[in-house]
Amino acid sequence: MAQTLDLMTGDLSPDPFLERTSAGRSMDVHVLGAHVRFTSDSAALLNVAAMAYAGLPPHVLPMTPPSLHVELRLAPARDVAAGQEPPLVSMQSGAGFLCGVMDASNYAVLFPEQHRALVVASPDMLENPYYLRYELIEFSVFTLATRALGLAPLHGACVGREGRGALVMGSSGAGKSTLALHSLLRGMEFLSEDAVFVHPQSGMATGVANYLHVQADALRFVEDAGLRRWIEQSPMIRRRSGVEKHEVDLRDGHGRLAQTPLALACVVFVSRQPADDPDELIHPIPEHQIIERLVAEQPYAASQPGWDALVQAVKRGGAYELRRGRDPAASVDALLRLLG
């Protein structure tokens, strides 16, 4: 993908596959219970990795932490219109590797058995690094760590109290991010907003507490002027869906980041449906319906090893539906009561 060769003419570079490219620089971080070393020939690419993983609490899971290696490589410059959204990532696998490809200059190749990945990016991606970070670098690290540690990858948020966590699930727009924001502002331990990884055998949940994404209309519920200003001054990102949100870096001292993995205490399915009684927002989900709800919310995780153990962990803690109350504060109150 890095260059085109004409094998018939013999016009070959001495190093056509860039096998002797020197990484030159490195950065070590602790993510999801794994040690990750990033190497690169580009300080700018390492800085994008730091935007994702620098300054996070070093979570430790009940196992020997594996070492993962992610090489970041800068591709030659290309001619692309300013502000153009990169193509959607296309997934593929074969011969022991996994890959996610945007185009010929932006892709990730993963070798899970070797705990290694290569991420290639074009210079223009550095001007708006959200997609590079989120869809190539984080994709690589999360996939390697999930396979190496045997974690169940879940789409959802997780907040906690005194070491016990509530895994928050729900469809897009149901209010997961708003609930996570107000839980953070109320002093709850924040684990993750978008992706949670559970060690099924121990029931411990880990995640990356780097950013929280907040829509502008959610600010009307933030009463503290200083906190509202903190969010408003954060950069705006644009999701693939077209929704724009403030990307709030949580590592600057606001809120409590979970310093250790949280013990999975319960699963909460956030619903758009208003509560019939504003004082009764939480409703238990019958045990015979839990598996159906989980599979509907987490189809990828349901196909992975460890799913049965995860389901049993959820059943032990219980699953609940959280309907909408008068305001987000009422939802946080309900969550706090659930966590005791």
Side-chain angles (χ1 to χ4, degrees), residues 25 46 65 80 97 182 249:
R25 301 173 173 86
L46 282 178
V80 61
F97 70 87
H182 287 272
D249 195 330

Side-chain angles (χ1 to χ4, degrees), residues 27-32 36 38 46-57 70 133-134 136-143 207-211 251:
M27 179 183 73
D28 294 274
V29 294
H30 200 82
V31 182
L32 304 180
V36 184
F38 290 98
L46 282 178
N47 184 57
V48 177
M51 290 168 62
Y53 299 120
L56 292 172
V70 180
R133 190 194 81 225
Y134 187 69
L136 293 180
I137 295 177
E138 293 191 15
F139 157 71
S140 299
V141 172
F142 288 167
T143 303
V208 175
N210 48 11
Y211 297 101
R251 292 163 289 183

Side-chain angles (χ1 to χ4, degrees), residues 56-119:
L56 292 172
H59 286 190
V60 177
L61 291 168
M63 64 184 71
T64 301
S67 294
L68 312 177
H69 180 202
V70 180
E71 181 180 349
L72 308 175
R73 185 176 294 174
L74 198 62
R78 59 179 186 157
D79 186 17
V80 61
Q84 179 178 322
E85 185 178 87
L88 290 170
V89 174
S90 175
M91 305 293 189
Q92 189 56 270
S93 67
F97 70 87
L98 309 173
C99 64
V101 179
M102 286 180 176
D103 55 34
S105 298
N106 296 280
Y107 54 91
V109 184
L110 288 65
F111 294 88
E113 294 299 320
Q114 299 179 28
H115 297 176
R116 299 175 71 89
L118 168 69
V119 176

Side-chain angles (χ1 to χ4, degrees), residues 6-22:
D6 185 348
L7 299 179
M8 300 303 294
T9 66
D11 185 16
L12 298 177
S13 161
D15 185 22
F17 296 103
L18 305 181
E19 295 172 278
R20 294 189 289 276
T21 299
S22 174

Side-chain angles (χ1 to χ4, degrees), residues 130-271:
Y130 169 73
Y131 294 111
L132 167 60
R133 190 194 81 225
Y134 187 69
E135 297 185 359
L136 293 180
I137 295 177
E138 293 191 15
F139 157 71
S140 299
V141 172
F142 288 167
T143 303
L144 289 180
T146 296
R147 302 294 176 94
L149 291 157
L151 305 179
L154 302 169
H155 176 59
C158 188
V159 294
R161 181 182 189 183
E162 297 179 355
R164 301 175 71 243
L167 178 59
V168 181
M169 301 181 184
S171 59
S172 179
K176 296 188 301 296
S177 295
T178 299
L179 181 59
L181 167 65
H182 287 272
S183 298
L184 175 82
L185 298 182
R186 288 280 293 276
M188 296 181 70
E189 296 165 276
F190 185 94
L191 184 76
S192 181
E193 172 211 37
D194 190 52
V196 180
F197 302 84
V198 177
H199 182 243
Q201 289 71 31
S202 66
M204 301 302 293
T206 183
V208 175
N210 48 11
Y211 297 101
L212 182 64
H213 297 91
V214 182
Q215 287 186 256
D217 62 1
L219 292 175
R220 68 184 187 277
F221 296 112
V222 179
E223 297 179 357
D224 187 291
L227 291 173
R228 192 165 57 248
R229 186 164 53 252
W230 167 54
I231 297 171
E232 289 173 335
Q233 292 175 349
S234 299
M236 295 291 291
I237 59 96
R238 189 175 187 272
R239 296 283 203 188
R240 290 287 189 179
S241 63
V243 174
E244 293 187 342
K245 294 188 174 186
H246 290 283
E247 186 170 65
V248 185
D249 195 330
L250 301 176
R251 292 163 289 183
D252 62 2
H254 291 279
R256 297 175 58 200
L257 305 186
Q259 296 299 303
T260 62
L262 298 178
L264 183 60
C266 59
V267 170
V268 176
F269 294 93
V270 180
S271 171

Side-chain angles (χ1 to χ4, degrees), residues 273-296:
Q273 181 179 346
D276 296 328
D277 182 345
D279 295 319
E280 295 291 338
L281 305 186
I282 290 280
H283 301 273
I285 295 175
E287 184 173 315
H288 69 277
Q289 296 180 10
I290 291 177
I291 295 180
E292 181 181 353
R293 292 288 295 266
L294 285 173
V295 171

